[in-house]
Amino acid sequence: MKKIKLVTVVGARPQFIKASALSAEVIENDLFEEVIIHTGQHFDADMSDIFFNELGIPKPKYNLGVGGGSHGENTGVMIIELEKAFNIEQPNAVVLYGDTDSTLAGAIAASKLHIPVVHIEAGLRSFNKRMPEEINRILTDHVSSVLFTPSVSSRNQLLKEGLPSENICISGDVMFDATQKFGKMAKQQASKEVRTQVERNSKYALLTLHRAENVDHKERLETILNNISLVEFPVLFPIHPRTAIRLKQYKLELPANVIRLNPVGYFSMLYLEKNAEVVLTDSGGVQKEAFFSKVPCVTLRDETEWLELVELGVNFIVGDDQLKFTKAISKIKNIEESVYSVNVYGDGSSSSQILNFISSRLG
Ligand code: UDP
């Protein structure tokens, strides 16, 4: 029997993690085969290779080596190169994750070749079109043939935008699958440096910061760092390369309570999240992982796509506002652990649900 051939496009750190869950499921499933294309958007060893090695993601057949340019430059070259690869591979569907320039480039190239586009993590909206990610999400959703949403609200959003209900499947979140799968091994597999930091700091906050809206503006970045200096315990900060460049460029120092680390691998990150008193972040994925780890989250953005967590009272949206920040920090002690037992993003079986739905639509 001819297998359903999926070509998966990844390019950035969160996509490697999302792809790890589905790729493992594809390997186990006789109906499918997968070819992975790495666009090269993230290329450093600690932003890319480590995830392929740690998480057993099959080696990409293509590495497009596109990165380091502007949004337009990168997206344009990716479209050209992806079109060539799709023409060679002739897949039954192209699988795309999330909201990066690689996602958008894959969506444009595949849809114009009339290859069905499968979008995983569809229907998310910040309602802030100044975010490049928001543009990428909206455009990708609207050319997708199959849309997998992590929650009911993201499905409702797609319906509101006129997308046909038969194309939408609430699969839950593949990141929850990954957390369930790899969380058990996190402590053993975390790096020595991370284990030492966790042992040394009985109470700590975990910080990640990389969104353009925060780190590409000196004043905003300075204000956020100033707010972070008010945290009473040490703040462990695996720094994103983009943020490291900006700090240098703006000649900004990290506050004294911040312990700077290089970007860490996924096991180390899960271990850091699990043991933190609070997670401070502008990342999409890290907001959810804080929830999966039953740790409160303070979101250093003016809005979030993950509203369910705000409604549950475990995620506080503070942006760069000092008063909101200090209020949120004072509230985290009062959160009952039972709040985290709600399965807002599925039950950890979203990868198998995704393959079942694809085979029912394309098989
Ligand atoms: N992550 C990681 N190491 C780090 C920082 C983040 O493995 O040093 C993981 C994190 O656990 C999550 C993903 O990267 O799974 C989130 O990616 P990122 O914050 O870069 O992007 P976003 O989710 O905001 O798109």
mmCIF file of all heavy atoms in Angstrom, residues 249-276:
data_model
loop_
_atom_site.group_PDB
_atom_site.id
_atom_site.type_symbol
_atom_site.label_atom_id
_atom_site.label_comp_id
_atom_site.label_asym_id
_atom_site.label_seq_id
_atom_site.Cartn_x
_atom_site.Cartn_y
_atom_site.Cartn_z
ATOM 1 N N GLN A 249 24.243 45.574 21.938
ATOM 2 C CA GLN A 249 24.049 46.739 21.065
ATOM 3 C C GLN A 249 23.586 47.968 21.867
ATOM 4 O O GLN A 249 24.041 49.074 21.646
ATOM 5 C CB GLN A 249 22.996 46.342 20.037
ATOM 6 C CG GLN A 249 22.698 47.326 18.963
ATOM 7 C CD GLN A 249 21.514 46.793 18.109
ATOM 8 O OE1 GLN A 249 21.229 45.585 18.071
ATOM 9 N NE2 GLN A 249 20.831 47.679 17.448
ATOM 10 N N TYR A 250 22.651 47.729 22.822
ATOM 11 C CA TYR A 250 22.104 48.848 23.615
ATOM 12 C C TYR A 250 22.962 49.166 24.841
ATOM 13 O O TYR A 250 22.602 50.017 25.652
ATOM 14 C CB TYR A 250 20.690 48.528 24.099
ATOM 15 C CG TYR A 250 19.668 48.216 23.028
ATOM 16 C CD1 TYR A 250 18.619 47.329 23.286
ATOM 17 C CD2 TYR A 250 19.700 48.810 21.768
ATOM 18 C CE1 TYR A 250 17.665 47.039 22.330
ATOM 19 C CE2 TYR A 250 18.746 48.521 20.810
ATOM 20 C CZ TYR A 250 17.737 47.627 21.088
ATOM 21 O OH TYR A 250 16.780 47.325 20.148
ATOM 22 N N LYS A 251 24.032 48.392 25.028
ATOM 23 C CA LYS A 251 24.895 48.537 26.210
ATOM 24 C C LYS A 251 24.090 48.444 27.520
ATOM 25 O O LYS A 251 24.223 49.276 28.426
ATOM 26 C CB LYS A 251 25.676 49.855 26.146
ATOM 27 C CG LYS A 251 26.593 49.946 24.934
ATOM 28 C CD LYS A 251 27.525 51.143 25.052
ATOM 29 C CE LYS A 251 28.570 51.214 23.973
ATOM 30 N NZ LYS A 251 28.110 51.167 22.583
ATOM 31 N N LEU A 252 23.221 47.443 27.595
ATOM 32 C CA LEU A 252 22.411 47.243 28.802
ATOM 33 C C LEU A 252 23.003 46.098 29.625
ATOM 34 O O LEU A 252 23.416 45.079 29.066
ATOM 35 C CB LEU A 252 20.965 46.884 28.435
ATOM 36 C CG LEU A 252 20.099 47.989 27.832
ATOM 37 C CD1 LEU A 252 18.740 47.434 27.424
ATOM 38 C CD2 LEU A 252 19.934 49.140 28.815
ATOM 39 N N GLU A 253 23.020 46.289 30.945
ATOM 40 C CA GLU A 253 23.500 45.233 31.846
ATOM 41 C C GLU A 253 22.302 44.472 32.397
ATOM 42 O O GLU A 253 21.230 45.059 32.590
ATOM 43 C CB GLU A 253 24.230 45.859 33.054
ATOM 44 C CG GLU A 253 25.493 46.618 32.718
ATOM 45 C CD GLU A 253 26.650 45.700 32.325
ATOM 46 O OE1 GLU A 253 26.652 44.541 32.772
ATOM 47 O OE2 GLU A 253 27.523 46.155 31.562
ATOM 48 N N LEU A 254 22.488 43.203 32.704
ATOM 49 C CA LEU A 254 21.419 42.460 33.373
ATOM 50 C C LEU A 254 21.398 42.839 34.848
ATOM 51 O O LEU A 254 22.459 43.102 35.429
ATOM 52 C CB LEU A 254 21.652 40.951 33.231
ATOM 53 C CG LEU A 254 21.490 40.388 31.828
ATOM 54 C CD1 LEU A 254 21.883 38.911 31.782
ATOM 55 C CD2 LEU A 254 20.044 40.557 31.345
ATOM 56 N N PRO A 255 20.199 42.852 35.484
ATOM 57 C CA PRO A 255 20.151 43.159 36.917
ATOM 58 C C PRO A 255 20.958 42.149 37.738
ATOM 59 O O PRO A 255 21.192 41.016 37.280
ATOM 60 C CB PRO A 255 18.648 43.035 37.247
ATOM 61 C CG PRO A 255 17.922 43.044 35.960
ATOM 62 C CD PRO A 255 18.872 42.602 34.899
ATOM 63 N N ALA A 256 21.321 42.556 38.959
ATOM 64 C CA ALA A 256 22.210 41.725 39.787
ATOM 65 C C ALA A 256 21.595 40.380 40.160
ATOM 66 O O ALA A 256 22.317 39.409 40.406
ATOM 67 C CB ALA A 256 22.572 42.499 41.050
ATOM 68 N N ASN A 257 20.263 40.302 40.224
ATOM 69 C CA ASN A 257 19.627 39.027 40.631
ATOM 70 C C ASN A 257 19.467 38.035 39.467
ATOM 71 O O ASN A 257 18.951 36.937 39.647
ATOM 72 C CB ASN A 257 18.246 39.278 41.269
ATOM 73 C CG ASN A 257 17.285 39.995 40.335
ATOM 74 O OD1 ASN A 257 17.707 40.647 39.372
ATOM 75 N ND2 ASN A 257 15.994 39.885 40.596
ATOM 76 N N VAL A 258 19.911 38.435 38.279
ATOM 77 C CA VAL A 258 19.732 37.564 37.103
ATOM 78 C C VAL A 258 20.989 36.733 36.853
ATOM 79 O O VAL A 258 22.096 37.264 36.817
ATOM 80 C CB VAL A 258 19.383 38.398 35.844
ATOM 81 C CG1 VAL A 258 19.364 37.521 34.595
ATOM 82 C CG2 VAL A 258 18.034 39.087 36.029
ATOM 83 N N ILE A 259 20.799 35.427 36.703
ATOM 84 C CA ILE A 259 21.915 34.528 36.380
ATOM 85 C C ILE A 259 21.776 34.145 34.909
ATOM 86 O O ILE A 259 20.800 33.495 34.520
ATOM 87 C CB ILE A 259 21.880 33.266 37.270
ATOM 88 C CG1 ILE A 259 21.994 33.681 38.736
ATOM 89 C CG2 ILE A 259 22.982 32.270 36.867
ATOM 90 C CD1 ILE A 259 21.686 32.575 39.723
ATOM 91 N N ARG A 260 22.736 34.586 34.122
ATOM 92 C CA ARG A 260 22.664 34.370 32.678
ATOM 93 C C ARG A 260 23.168 32.981 32.305
ATOM 94 O O ARG A 260 24.222 32.547 32.756
ATOM 95 C CB ARG A 260 23.520 35.457 32.000
ATOM 96 C CG ARG A 260 23.606 35.317 30.511
ATOM 97 C CD ARG A 260 24.406 36.483 29.938
ATOM 98 N NE ARG A 260 24.677 36.241 28.535
ATOM 99 C CZ ARG A 260 24.823 37.185 27.628
ATOM 100 N NH1 ARG A 260 24.725 38.460 27.970
ATOM 101 N NH2 ARG A 260 25.085 36.901 26.381
ATOM 102 N N LEU A 261 22.387 32.290 31.464
ATOM 103 C CA LEU A 261 22.804 30.986 30.927
ATOM 104 C C LEU A 261 22.734 31.070 29.410
ATOM 105 O O LEU A 261 21.974 31.883 28.872
ATOM 106 C CB LEU A 261 21.846 29.872 31.376
ATOM 107 C CG LEU A 261 21.544 29.718 32.872
ATOM 108 C CD1 LEU A 261 20.416 28.710 33.083
ATOM 109 C CD2 LEU A 261 22.794 29.247 33.606
ATOM 110 N N ASN A 262 23.450 30.213 28.734
ATOM 111 C CA ASN A 262 23.243 30.093 27.285
ATOM 112 C C ASN A 262 21.896 29.418 27.052
ATOM 113 O O ASN A 262 21.347 28.815 27.976
ATOM 114 C CB ASN A 262 24.364 29.261 26.664
ATOM 115 C CG ASN A 262 25.656 30.043 26.617
ATOM 116 O OD1 ASN A 262 25.642 31.264 26.424
ATOM 117 N ND2 ASN A 262 26.758 29.362 26.822
ATOM 118 N N PRO A 263 21.348 29.492 25.823
ATOM 119 C CA PRO A 263 20.103 28.750 25.576
ATOM 120 C C PRO A 263 20.324 27.296 25.956
ATOM 121 O O PRO A 263 21.403 26.754 25.715
ATOM 122 C CB PRO A 263 19.896 28.874 24.055
ATOM 123 C CG PRO A 263 20.738 30.011 23.624
ATOM 124 C CD PRO A 263 21.868 30.124 24.599
ATOM 125 N N VAL A 264 19.310 26.692 26.578
ATOM 126 C CA VAL A 264 19.483 25.323 27.063
ATOM 127 C C VAL A 264 18.693 24.354 26.190
ATOM 128 O O VAL A 264 17.807 24.769 25.437
ATOM 129 C CB VAL A 264 19.045 25.190 28.546
ATOM 130 C CG1 VAL A 264 19.919 26.055 29.446
ATOM 131 C CG2 VAL A 264 17.559 25.542 28.729
ATOM 132 N N GLY A 265 18.993 23.082 26.306
ATOM 133 C CA GLY A 265 18.253 22.046 25.579
ATOM 134 C C GLY A 265 16.865 21.859 26.190
ATOM 135 O O GLY A 265 16.543 22.443 27.236
ATOM 136 N N TYR A 266 16.064 21.017 25.539
ATOM 137 C CA TYR A 266 14.669 20.866 25.970
ATOM 138 C C TYR A 266 14.556 20.189 27.335
ATOM 139 O O TYR A 266 13.760 20.595 28.172
ATOM 140 C CB TYR A 266 13.920 20.072 24.899
ATOM 141 C CG TYR A 266 12.436 19.972 25.123
ATOM 142 C CD1 TYR A 266 11.653 21.113 25.309
ATOM 143 C CD2 TYR A 266 11.800 18.736 25.150
ATOM 144 C CE1 TYR A 266 10.275 21.021 25.496
ATOM 145 C CE2 TYR A 266 10.424 18.628 25.330
ATOM 146 C CZ TYR A 266 9.677 19.772 25.506
ATOM 147 O OH TYR A 266 8.323 19.675 25.686
ATOM 148 N N PHE A 267 15.384 19.178 27.583
ATOM 149 C CA PHE A 267 15.316 18.507 28.892
ATOM 150 C C PHE A 267 15.665 19.493 30.001
ATOM 151 O O PHE A 267 15.005 19.538 31.030
ATOM 152 C CB PHE A 267 16.292 17.319 28.941
ATOM 153 C CG PHE A 267 15.883 16.173 28.068
ATOM 154 C CD1 PHE A 267 16.663 15.784 26.993
ATOM 155 C CD2 PHE A 267 14.722 15.465 28.344
ATOM 156 C CE1 PHE A 267 16.277 14.717 26.195
ATOM 157 C CE2 PHE A 267 14.334 14.392 27.549
ATOM 158 C CZ PHE A 267 15.115 14.024 26.460
ATOM 159 N N SER A 268 16.709 20.277 29.766
ATOM 160 C CA SER A 268 17.121 21.268 30.774
ATOM 161 C C SER A 268 16.005 22.281 30.995
ATOM 162 O O SER A 268 15.727 22.685 32.129
ATOM 163 C CB SER A 268 18.383 22.002 30.315
ATOM 164 O OG SER A 268 19.466 21.114 30.287
ATOM 165 N N MET A 269 15.361 22.673 29.897
ATOM 166 C CA MET A 269 14.305 23.677 30.009
ATOM 167 C C MET A 269 13.130 23.122 30.814
ATOM 168 O O MET A 269 12.600 23.804 31.701
ATOM 169 C CB MET A 269 13.864 24.072 28.592
ATOM 170 C CG MET A 269 12.976 25.279 28.561
ATOM 171 S SD MET A 269 13.827 26.740 29.187
ATOM 172 C CE MET A 269 12.466 27.892 29.170
ATOM 173 N N LEU A 270 12.735 21.884 30.514
ATOM 174 C CA LEU A 270 11.611 21.291 31.266
ATOM 175 C C LEU A 270 11.962 21.183 32.754
ATOM 176 O O LEU A 270 11.117 21.404 33.620
ATOM 177 C CB LEU A 270 11.262 19.899 30.711
ATOM 178 C CG LEU A 270 10.612 19.855 29.317
ATOM 179 C CD1 LEU A 270 10.347 18.399 28.919
ATOM 180 C CD2 LEU A 270 9.314 20.647 29.261
ATOM 181 N N TYR A 271 13.218 20.845 33.034
ATOM 182 C CA TYR A 271 13.655 20.716 34.429
ATOM 183 C C TYR A 271 13.640 22.091 35.124
ATOM 184 O O TYR A 271 13.181 22.228 36.262
ATOM 185 C CB TYR A 271 15.062 20.096 34.444
ATOM 186 C CG TYR A 271 15.551 19.733 35.818
ATOM 187 C CD1 TYR A 271 14.769 18.991 36.698
ATOM 188 C CD2 TYR A 271 16.814 20.132 36.249
ATOM 189 C CE1 TYR A 271 15.217 18.672 37.963
ATOM 190 C CE2 TYR A 271 17.282 19.809 37.511
ATOM 191 C CZ TYR A 271 16.476 19.081 38.368
ATOM 192 O OH TYR A 271 16.923 18.764 39.618
ATOM 193 N N LEU A 272 14.099 23.110 34.408
ATOM 194 C CA LEU A 272 14.079 24.468 34.961
ATOM 195 C C LEU A 272 12.644 24.924 35.223
ATOM 196 O O LEU A 272 12.347 25.532 36.247
ATOM 197 C CB LEU A 272 14.747 25.448 33.985
ATOM 198 C CG LEU A 272 16.269 25.424 33.920
ATOM 199 C CD1 LEU A 272 16.765 26.249 32.720
ATOM 200 C CD2 LEU A 272 16.878 25.966 35.216
ATOM 201 N N GLU A 273 11.745 24.624 34.287
ATOM 202 C CA GLU A 273 10.344 25.043 34.442
ATOM 203 C C GLU A 273 9.705 24.353 35.652
ATOM 204 O O GLU A 273 9.038 24.985 36.465
ATOM 205 C CB GLU A 273 9.554 24.702 33.167
ATOM 206 C CG GLU A 273 9.900 25.622 32.005
ATOM 207 C CD GLU A 273 9.408 25.143 30.639
ATOM 208 O OE1 GLU A 273 8.996 23.960 30.514
ATOM 209 O OE2 GLU A 273 9.458 25.927 29.687
ATOM 210 N N LYS A 274 9.928 23.069 35.748
ATOM 211 C CA LYS A 274 9.293 22.248 36.792
ATOM 212 C C LYS A 274 9.632 22.758 38.193
ATOM 213 O O LYS A 274 8.796 22.734 39.086
ATOM 214 C CB LYS A 274 9.795 20.801 36.629
ATOM 215 C CG LYS A 274 9.135 19.778 37.478
ATOM 216 C CD LYS A 274 7.873 19.265 36.834
ATOM 217 C CE LYS A 274 6.847 18.814 37.843
ATOM 218 N NZ LYS A 274 5.485 19.038 37.460
ATOM 219 N N ASN A 275 10.860 23.235 38.377
ATOM 220 C CA ASN A 275 11.320 23.589 39.718
ATOM 221 C C ASN A 275 11.257 25.077 40.028
ATOM 222 O O ASN A 275 11.647 25.501 41.118
ATOM 223 C CB ASN A 275 12.749 23.070 39.919
ATOM 224 C CG ASN A 275 12.757 21.560 39.999
ATOM 225 O OD1 ASN A 275 12.357 20.989 41.002
ATOM 226 N ND2 ASN A 275 13.140 20.915 38.911
ATOM 227 N N ALA A 276 10.772 25.863 39.083
ATOM 228 C CA ALA A 276 10.733 27.322 39.293
ATOM 229 C C ALA A 276 9.566 27.713 40.206
ATOM 230 O O ALA A 276 8.549 27.031 40.258
ATOM 231 C CB ALA A 276 10.595 28.015 37.934
#
